[in-house]
Amino acid sequence: MNAEIRDQFTDLLAAWTAYTPTWTAATTNPVLGNGTIVGKHRKIGRLVNFQIDLTMGSTTTYGSGAWSLTLPFAAAASSGSRIGVAQALGGSRFPGQVVISPSATGTSPFFPASASVSNLSSVAATTPFAWASGNELRITGTYESAT
């Protein structure tokens, strides 16, 4: 096996790398308190796979306005929007999506505004439900990085 093929194969099997996403909101930033936020990514060339797990704690505050979480790498300017998946776990499970726009350094999950509404709204302190201790936000996606 030549060295170039071996290196490409090794990249495909690369381990995930941990990173700590920053959690912000449009008006007032949330405070993680005793909650946890864990991110990890795997980058092969400019292809980035990422996951973010946010678990609310008893001292977590939720801020106001739409939430955003940072990506491990800035998105390519020419990549077009990419969509990942999100899941909000509270009393129920809510499926959602994330959009990664060209040149973005963060992403905002979208969920149904309530169980009776089918249109999507940005995740926030009360969307898709009133967040509380033990609730989780899970995000996964793939996009092209700028470098």
Side-chain angles (χ1 to χ4, degrees):
M1 178 182 305
N2 76 32
E4 182 180 350
I5 293 172
R6 183 192 66 236
D7 290 346
Q8 289 174 353
F9 185 72
T10 300
D11 284 347
L12 289 174
L13 301 176
W16 290 78
T17 301
Y19 85 103
T20 303
T22 300
W23 179 29
T24 59
T27 307
T28 305
N29 285 334
V31 177
L32 186 59
N34 64 349
T36 60
I37 188 167
V38 177
K40 64 181 181 176
H41 67 84
R42 182 171 48 194
K43 187 174 183 208
I44 302 166
R46 290 177 54 179
L47 177 71
V48 179
N49 296 306
F50 74 99
Q51 294 180 355
I52 300 171
D53 293 318
L54 171 60
T55 303
M56 310 310 174
S58 62
T59 61
T60 299
T61 61
Y62 306 102
S64 59
W67 293 352
S68 182
L69 295 119
T70 56
L71 297 167
F73 303 96
S78 61
S79 67
S81 294
R82 297 291 174 246
I83 296 176
V85 296
Q87 185 177 63
L89 298 123
S92 299
R93 292 178 183 260
F94 283 78
Q97 67 182 31
V98 294
V99 176
I100 302 163
S101 300
S103 302
T105 58
T107 187
S108 297
F110 295 89
F111 290 94
S114 72
S116 62
V117 177
S118 61
N119 62 317
L120 299 179
S121 298
S122 296
V123 68
T126 58
T127 304
F129 48 73
W131 292 86
S133 182
N135 293 165
E136 297 177 56
L137 175 62
R138 297 177 182 164
I139 299 170
T140 187
T142 300
Y143 66 99
E144 179 185 3
S145 69
T147 56

